Amino acid sequence: MTRKQRRLTLIAIAGVVLVAAAGLVLYALSDRIVFFNSPSDIVDKQIPAGTRIRLGGLVVDGSLVKRDDGHVRFDVSDGRTSIAVSYQGLLPDLFREGQGVVAEGVIAPDLSFAADTVLAKHDERYMPPEVVEALKKAGRWQEGQGTVEGAAGAANGPPMPLQPGTQ
């Protein structure tokens, strides 16, 4: 075997090892990766029940219902579609109707969402980047003005000032 052939063999073996390592890492992470979706994405993609995802959008005004046992129900909207969310536990202090929210949980067969984690925005000007992107896809984001039309799912509501991705 010439010196050039030995070098090529070594490079080929290293390449196979790297590809195998990358494959093992991706396989190990496949159970832990949670994708972000807007309410319209859930309906459009027909994501199967039981799938673990992150749901983001705006909490619809007037949809928040709190029970004494700590069970909370609210609707999340991207301006086109609303998804009912149920959650058991304490909500973040900054959680309010009309504000951006990201909830992590599973989809039920009736397209409702059972959340086990709810994340609220930092301040009145912050909007999670994933929510901004979902609102842009839904055509509800007004570029350059940092506002969203019909905030909180209201079809003809007044624009709401927002600032994407700042804390």
Side-chain angles (χ1 to χ4, degrees):
M1 186 178 275
T2 65
R3 186 175 178 168
K4 183 177 180 181
Q5 288 173 331
R6 276 188 269 147
R7 193 177 321 143
L8 288 175
T9 304
L10 184 62
I11 290 172
I13 290 172
V16 169
V17 169
L18 285 175
V19 168
L24 288 173
V25 168
L26 290 175
Y27 178 75
L29 290 176
S30 65
D31 291 343
R32 301 195 196 294
I33 295 174
V34 179
F35 294 102
F36 176 85
N37 288 283
S38 69
S40 295
D41 290 339
I42 292 172
V43 173
D44 294 344
K45 295 178 183 174
Q46 298 180 350
I47 297 173
T51 303
R52 184 164 188 80
I53 63 166
R54 284 186 172 192
L55 171 67
L58 302 173
V59 179
V60 176
D61 286 331
S63 68
L64 181 62
V65 177
K66 294 181 179 178
R67 294 192 326 209
D68 292 338
D69 62 355
H71 186 83
V72 180
R73 189 202 168 285
F74 55 93
D75 293 341
V76 173
S77 174
D78 63 356
R80 271 187 12 193
T81 307
S82 292
I83 297 283
V85 176
S86 62
Y87 175 68
Q88 178 77 32
L90 296 174
L91 291 170
D93 291 338
L94 298 174
F95 180 88
R96 291 185 195 96
E97 293 179 346
Q99 301 290 326
V101 65
V102 175
E104 186 173 327
V106 294
I107 301 172
D110 63 352
L111 286 185
S112 64
F113 190 76
D116 53 25
T117 304
V118 173
L119 305 171
K121 65 181 199 131
H122 259 240
D123 63 17
E124 69 276 358
R125 295 179 49 158
Y126 176 76
M127 177 66 68
E130 296 91 353
V131 174
V132 170
E133 191 63 35
L135 291 172
K136 285 180 180 178
K137 281 184 186 175
R140 307 295 291 177
W141 182 260
Q142 295 178 352
E143 196 66 48
Q145 297 179 1
T147 59
V148 61
E149 282 185 37
N156 297 316
M160 182 175 142
L162 301 169
Q163 186 173 3
T166 59
Q167 294 183 10

